[in-house]
Amino acid sequence: MMIASFKSLHFLLGLFLSLNFLALAQEQNHFIYHGFTGANLHLSENAKIHPNGLLELTNTSKRQIGRAFFPFPFQFNTSLFNNSRSLSFSTQFAFAMVPEQPILGGHGMAFTISPTMDFTGALAAQYFGILNSTSNGLSSNHLLAVELDAVPSQDLKDINDSHVGIDVNSLISIESAPVTYFSDEEKENKSLTLISGHEMHVWIDYDEVEKLLNVTVAPVTRTKPTLPLLSTTIDLSSVMLDSMYVGFSSSTGAVASSHYILGWSFNRGGQAQSLDVSKLPSLPPQRKSRKKPYLRILVPAITAIILLVAISGAAYIIRRKKYEELREDWEQEYGPQRFSYKDLYKATTGFTDRKLLGSGGFGKVYRGVLPSSNMQVAIKKVSHDSKQGTKQFVAEIASMGRLRHRNLVQLLGYCRRKGELLLVYDYMPNGSLDKLLFHNDTPSLNWVQRYKVLRGVASALLYLHEEWEQVVLHRDVKASNILLDDDFNGRLGDFGLAKFYDRGANPQTTCVVGTVGYIAPEVTRTGRATTSSDVFAFGTFMLEMACGRKPLEPEQSAEKMILVDWVLDSLKIGDILRTGDPRLEGNYVVEEMELVLKLGLLCSFSTPQARPSMRQIAQYLDGNATLPEMPLDGASIGLMPASLEEPGDFTLSFHRSNDYSAHSFSSTDSILSCGR
Ligand SMILES: *[C@@H]1O[C@H](CO)[C@@H](O)[C@H](O)[C@H]1NC(C)=O
Ligand SMILES: *[C@@H]1O[C@H](CO)[C@@H](O)[C@H](O)[C@H]1NC(C)=O
Ligand SMILES: *[C@@H]1O[C@H](CO)[C@@H](O)[C@H](O)[C@H]1NC(C)=O
Ligand SMILES: *[C@@H]1O[C@H](CO)[C@@H](O)[C@H](O)[C@H]1NC(C)=O
Ligand SMILES: *[C@@H]1O[C@H](CO)[C@@H](O)[C@H](O)[C@H]1NC(C)=O
Ligand SMILES: *[C@@H]1O[C@H](CO)[C@@H](O)[C@H](O)[C@H]1NC(C)=O
Ligand SMILES: *[C@@H]1O[C@H](CO)[C@@H](O)[C@H](O)[C@H]1NC(C)=O
């Protein structure tokens, strides 16, 4: 009796609770937030709400997770009451991914529908804080996610470094696409970069009758495009349980960005209400303008007054001097490529150190925005003796300006002052390759990116050697002269040492130029650069990319110190893969890795004739030809000439570590040494 009444009490209580719950859920079939001030979201791990209502899922710390879920579940697949059962839903949210550095960010975030808000054991990086390697793919997950992923992970078959994917129970997307939106005005698809730091909208709509899941993305300034980015047929009836939570999960990995949600609208069963962009909270000020506002006004004001009082009289003279240039009659034909010093001065705010991108053996490089066109440029300042060979130099600059290839950094023009030459190039937002390859603890370039860079640079060198009107020798191919554009395409830059000569002519030069470790042995003997010596340098570069280290590392043990020797020794013992960059953690295509290492060795033959041409190299890398068997004759490979009969004026000997360390230059600085 007691037991029975207790049971029925329990039953009644249960019924009451579930009715209550249902009522609550029904009341809350939809919600809309413009900012999250006072919102009772369920936040976990790193997620927090800023005072202005901005929801921050992660900051730029590495390998973090941040989640925010609507605190109550929605009744999706419940069979309890027919009228409330619906798998259809619609949501719109505004987000931004702001990387720490202009171009490196990630990992990404996922709009998630899950039976639980407890994600214990889930991992950061490519798992977005919702799954891990064991739970990935289990149908018992009952998980639907739409991922916004800024880093391609090979093991999850990601397609692109800025993509949207639809994930069901697994982070291997059932469908994905690079982030683009359809512009209704221009009737074309426009590409978006997730980690641009710009605010964007996402709409996700599922219709139970059509069984269609649509995902649409657009910049926050646009209205919803009429064509979705993804439109996928799926039946969610086996995925959605009765009660499901909706929210966001976000993660960072080896690279990180701050991931924000600015507003969110959701409706289970109907169309989500549209967000009002004007009501969204603003993002935190980005690094550029971090100065306190009063300083921004006060400092220039005081400076202006002081300047005005102190130098108003002398201003005119100083002004003239400041922007003074050298300009001669013969330069008129190069007029279009001539920049005024005043423009370059303004572009770099007077060549301040704040705009310094780097400095090397040949000068300093500044970042700037040209006042006339608002175009971002890199400006290289080289000291130059104006009396000596200027005419030829400028003629060569003009030739370089006419080179056009998508894997070359475009030279836009020049400017000449007393003792100084300024070269203006396209600005490459992702900086130079050596910084990503050698200066980080973690690999920031994966194998797919590395291989793409190698193919790109090979095609650029092929263009210089064989496809342009003259033969162009770059003479300084190395990782630090390869820059990365917004899409991580490798672009060969720094033509400071390039030489032009007519096809069929014999290049004559008595200067040894290049960089220690990349200079072909015959060049050190004869001082004559050829296309084969560029091939040699490219071979060294291929080994660097595969092994993730510099050609010479005196701090390494004797067997590993000279990279090419170590790779050759490893090939001989049949374990060439041991030289692969350990930071890749084995995530590479074995055939490609072997090809790059062997081709690198082939280019390192000390006899120039034995090296392949750039055309052959491009064919091997594109998979259009098979690499010949490697002769394993050690004497014929390497940085050292087989014999040094003609030591010439300039000898390099760095096969013994103490000799090497005696050199005053480092292996990353370009050298220019002329015999007398
Ligand atoms: C990110 O947030 C975590 C936790 O709130 C904090 O410990 C860390 O210092 C933050 N990192 C940055 C770069 O602000
Ligand atoms: C639910 O729908 C089924 C068939 O569609 C019907 O047989 C059943 O009576 C309905 N139940 C309720 C509670 O409306
Ligand atoms: C993976 O996640 C599940 C829960 O989703 C957890 O039980 C399991 O321990 C995790 N596995 C690992 C290896 O962390
Ligand atoms: C734009 O992208 C959509 C979806 O990816 C595709 O179906 C469509 O053909 C594209 N339209 C144009 C004009 O490229
Ligand atoms: C999804 O997109 C297709 C194609 O534009 C459209 O016909 C369909 O109505 C859309 N469905 C939803 C649920 O928005
Ligand atoms: C969802 O509901 C349908 C109809 O009631 C049922 O056939 C299906 O098994 C349910 N799905 C899940 C995952 O429970
Ligand atoms: C990503 O895909 C888009 C469109 O197909 C393409 O323009 C872009 O270059 C791709 N990015 C990378 C890194 O492959």
Side-chain angles (χ1 to χ4, degrees), residues 15 107 373 517 674:
L15 191 66
H107 208 107
S373 56
C674 299

Side-chain angles (χ1 to χ4, degrees), residues 22 26 29 75-87 208 268:
L22 214 64
Q26 263 176 329
N29 259 342
Q75 305 302 305
F76 271 95
N77 202 21
T78 182
S79 43
L80 213 56
F81 292 95
N82 287 2
N83 60 351
S84 79
R85 182 187 175 278
S86 169
L87 297 180
E208 192 188 8
R268 198 237 61 199

Side-chain angles (χ1 to χ4, degrees), residues 118-123 130-136 138 141:
D118 176 15
F119 292 91
T120 316
L123 299 178
I130 47 179
L131 289 173
N132 61 30
S133 48
T134 29
S135 58
N136 193 35
L138 301 181
N141 290 337

Side-chain angles (χ1 to χ4, degrees), residues 408-423:
L408 290 179
V409 178
Q410 186 66 41
L411 177 72
L412 302 170
Y414 75 105
C415 174
R416 220 154 57 83
R417 301 185 86 204
K418 196 156 183 268
E420 216 172 51
L421 188 76
L422 297 117
L423 299 172

Side-chain angles (χ1 to χ4, degrees), residues 571-583:
L571 176 67
K572 283 181 185 163
I573 62 163
D575 188 13
I576 196 167
L577 289 179
R578 73 171 179 181
T579 62
D581 187 350
R583 287 168 304 175

Side-chain angles (χ1 to χ4, degrees), residues 123 135 191 212 221 339 390 488 607:
L123 299 178
S135 58
S191 202
L212 262 189
T221 50
F339 283 84
T390 309
F488 283 91
T607 352

